[in-house]
Amino acid sequence: MEFDIAGQALDAALIDFSRQSRMQVFSSCVGRQKVAPVRGYLEPRQALERLLAGSGCTYSVHGADAVSIQPQAAVPGVDRPPAVQRTADMPTVLSMVGMRVTARKRDERQIDVPIAMTAITGEQIDAMGITKVAEVIAMTPGAGSVDNGMGFTQVQIRGVSSSLGGNDNGYYLDDIPFTGVTVPWYPEVRSWDIDRVEILKGPQGTLFGEGSMGGTVRTLTRKPDLEAFGAAFEASASTTRDGGNGWGGKAMLNVPLVKDKLAARVAVTDESLSGWIDDARSGRKDINEQRVRTGRIKLRFTPTERWDMDLAYWKYDSDAPGGGNSALNDRTTNSYYANTDTWEVASFATRYAFDGSQLFYSYAVADLAYASDGMLNPTATYLSAIRIGVRTHELRWSSTGERTLDWTVGYYLRKADRHDRSSIGGVPPSRLQQFNLADALFGEATLKLPNPAWSLTAGLRYFKDDVDAESVSTDRTSTLDATFDSWNPRLALSFKPVEDTTLYASVARGFRSGQLQPIATLLLAEANGIGLPAAIAPDSILTYELGAKSLLAGGRLMLEGAVFHSDWKDVAVRVPITASINGLINSRGTRNRGVEANLIYTPGASWMLQVGGSWIDATYAEDVEKTPLRRGTPVYNVPRTSFSASVAHDWPVGDTLKGIVRAGVVHDARRATALTSGTPGDAVTSVDARIGLESPSGWSGYLYGENLTDDNGALNARSVAGIGNRLRPRTLGLMVRYDY
């Protein structure tokens, strides 16, 4: 990172260090003598060592985003200082003031970014017992998720939600985008060894490309530590009410191979998620057990202080032989299909820091294999095999540090191919193949106006997508050879009446390419007297937003809020053909408007409170022929109101241990509109909690409960057969962990 800390009193220098390193600082050395300046491109630990040189103070690192400062005498002659208890007599130099994000592809304080967003650190994820990124999305005001239990998650942000077309909300693992290519798939990322999750709301097409119409989810994993060996292990066991048992094992190993130059980090998980749905026809119990395995390896090489390179490989395996989380009201099913899917991503990323700017390049290869076999409904068999391959390049150049003009410019290239083979009972087998060659030029700049309290941000992305698709049945073929292109602008004006308050107004546009109508769908529609287009047109969104965010009470209270209005044009919807099969058609679009707010309060180092919620009025703008959708019908999978709250507290237990308790509640109003036709879902309230003990030697143990209310409501609208996705019933478990 680039550090520019002036020579000054230690307490002020620590505040600057926290802001620039995105680490929280807890210090009992506040008010010590003046320290020397620290400038240059350094690892945070290197910068802190230089800052504390000769001050009579030393430090202890706690996870990836917290450090405590104490007098040298507190840990004389110890290379690895023991963990320091965060108590009331240890003043917090910085709390949420230090949260730094890369939402605009440059490093800056979250409070300064004129975008509605939620950011949560890996330490917070661990403390709250969050097991997957979908839970973070569900807790975010204005966003929501539905887990289908078969490796993918339905994501909606600000009423942007669909079940077809490319991704309608952006989804990134580190700097690598995921894209479903004609279907909005979001891989179920397990929350292990995570550095930070950022959820950006509103169109992010300028910097994050096509599909980021409602917003963008970014999961940033921890990078290899070049200096310190580290390891972590976690084991868990659980039991589900009226269901089976589950277990999990997770491990992380960080090894510096060449000090300050080369390090490797490996993170693996293996989990058996308990089943709880019974097969009504055969009488088999708990059929929807799911096995999930993930593995991630990163290699970091820093030949100089200015240059680093990351080589990474990530794999996700899911096996759900008894189907997913869809069931009738009595938690049984009369039809299901087995599913296996594998995601693999290999990537290379490199950065070079110039004086005042940084050059970045990434290349990634992503492949998906997704297979299904079983019954689509009690009378129709279903067999499908999908393979998707995506290759991406991104080159960008961004400014760094504090300056009058901040900027990012770049080029993006994506090559994608998709191959499908499917057979549904009563419909001739078909195959589909599609090739996409897409590229984009983009740029964004923020100018501090002559009155520096005001800033103007302007960005523009030109996107072009060449699509070559073919769908073949036994005796018919349909094709699409088209080019879709779009200019996606963004404009924002922000005002900072004081240092830690930002008010902003923005307007932004998002875009998504069109696609081919499968030939099997066209043939079945013709047989049923329904006319469908041969291809689906692209859709776009324009969003207007007013927002505010402020830090109060010395950084212990954070308030965020926004109001927005979106016009989503030409969004594709499903046309019922039979009870199980549907076609595609463009609607006139939707109108989405809403209010969202969030409050985070940390009255002391041992307490954290969070309360947030949203109201979203997302409805179809006009009647859609051949469908149940009418003007004013709520958009598919969008709850009108959502609410979340959580509390966390820790306290000393004896001389060395620390007790910790955390509880959270998430409430979503019913999702009213089904995939094609059906009945509304239910309002759902989920309560989670955990209590445990933590030792400074690295050991910790917790008892936890999920869905303590045992809510059995349908998370999304039910199908015609009464099937809906549901939460796992009340689950109780034990988890132990060791960090070194």
Side-chain angles (χ1 to χ4, degrees), residues 85 653-657:
Q85 297 289 333
V653 177
D655 294 332
T656 58
L657 297 179

Side-chain angles (χ1 to χ4, degrees), residues 105 175 358-360 394-398 408-411 442:
K105 297 196 174 182
D175 285 294
Q358 182 184 83
L359 189 65
F360 170 86
E394 182 169 348
L395 177 66
R396 69 174 184 264
W397 188 23
S398 303
T408 296
V409 295
Y411 173 75
F442 61 89

Side-chain angles (χ1 to χ4, degrees), residues 32 65 95 131 139 205 320 381 385 556 610 632 639:
R32 301 275 174 143
D65 77 336
S95 181
T131 60
M139 294 164 53
T381 59
R556 291 181 172 85
Q610 176 269 329

Side-chain angles (χ1 to χ4, degrees), residues 148-150 276-277 288 320 322-327 336-337 725:
N148 72 1
M150 294 188 292
W276 44 272
I277 293 175
N288 64 321
N325 296 342
S326 295
Y336 65 91
Y337 52 87
N725 276 296

Side-chain angles (χ1 to χ4, degrees), residues 366-631:
D367 291 289
L368 165 71
Y370 192 84
S372 303
D373 184 2
M375 302 295 292
L376 196 61
N377 61 46
T379 61
T381 59
Y382 177 52
L383 180 66
S384 172
I386 301 172
R387 298 193 67 90
I388 296 175
V390 180
R391 312 292 183 264
T392 62
H393 300 260
E394 182 169 348
L395 177 66
R396 69 174 184 264
W397 188 23
S398 303
S399 63
T400 57
E402 298 293 331
R403 50 198 302 150
T404 302
L405 180 66
D406 294 313
W407 46 267
T408 296
V409 295
Y411 173 75
Y412 173 79
L413 174 67
R414 186 197 71 188
K415 296 180 180 179
D417 61 271
R418 173 172 175 166
H419 303 270
D420 293 17
R421 290 185 179 275
S422 63
S423 176
I424 300 176
V427 180
S430 64
R431 63 178 176 85
L432 180 147
Q433 62 180 20
Q434 177 169 315
F435 301 92
N436 291 65
L437 177 61
D439 59 352
L441 287 169
F442 61 89
E444 186 173 278
T446 298
L447 175 66
K448 291 184 175 64
L449 299 178
N451 179 345
W454 291 86
S455 294
L456 180 66
T457 298
L460 185 64
R461 186 184 191 100
Y462 174 71
F463 169 75
K464 180 170 68 70
D465 189 8
D466 293 322
V467 179
D468 183 4
E470 179 184 68
S471 182
V472 180
S473 185
T474 52
D475 58 353
R476 287 272 297 274
T477 299
S478 63
T479 62
L480 175 65
D481 184 3
T483 297
F484 304 101
D485 63 344
S486 175
W487 293 91
N488 299 322
R490 176 181 180 82
L491 186 66
L493 181 66
S494 63
F495 173 62
K496 296 181 69 64
V498 295
E499 176 66 16
D500 292 329
T501 296
T502 299
L503 312 176
Y504 63 91
S506 69
V507 57
R509 185 177 189 270
F511 175 81
R512 186 169 57 162
S513 294
Q515 67 180 75
L516 180 67
Q517 184 97 246
I519 187 62
T521 302
L522 287 173
L523 293 175
L524 189 64
E526 290 175 5
N528 285 271
I530 299 174
L532 294 177
I536 306 303
D539 54 334
S540 63
I541 194 169
L542 189 65
T543 296
Y544 303 88
E545 178 179 341
L546 293 173
K549 53 181 73 175
S550 182
L551 286 169
L552 305 169
R556 291 181 172 85
L557 175 64
M558 185 173 188
L559 299 173
E560 298 177 280
V563 296
F564 65 88
H565 176 89
S566 300
D567 288 317
W568 189 6
K569 301 294 187 183
D570 303 317
V571 59
V573 297
R574 295 182 182 268
V575 177
I577 300 176
T578 69
S580 302
I581 303 172
N582 52 79
L584 315 178
I585 192 171
N586 288 98
S587 69
R588 294 291 298 273
T590 76
R591 293 190 178 93
N592 304 354
R593 55 180 180 161
V595 180
E596 59 200 24
N598 196 41
L599 177 153
I600 302 175
Y601 181 44
T602 55
S606 62
W607 282 96
M608 187 187 78
L609 308 171
Q610 176 269 329
V611 178
S614 62
W615 172 83
I616 297 175
D617 180 32
T619 59
Y620 292 97
E622 300 292 343
D623 295 354
V624 185
E625 293 183 5
K626 310 181 186 73
T627 78
L629 304 177
R630 297 290 178 262
R631 180 176 182 176

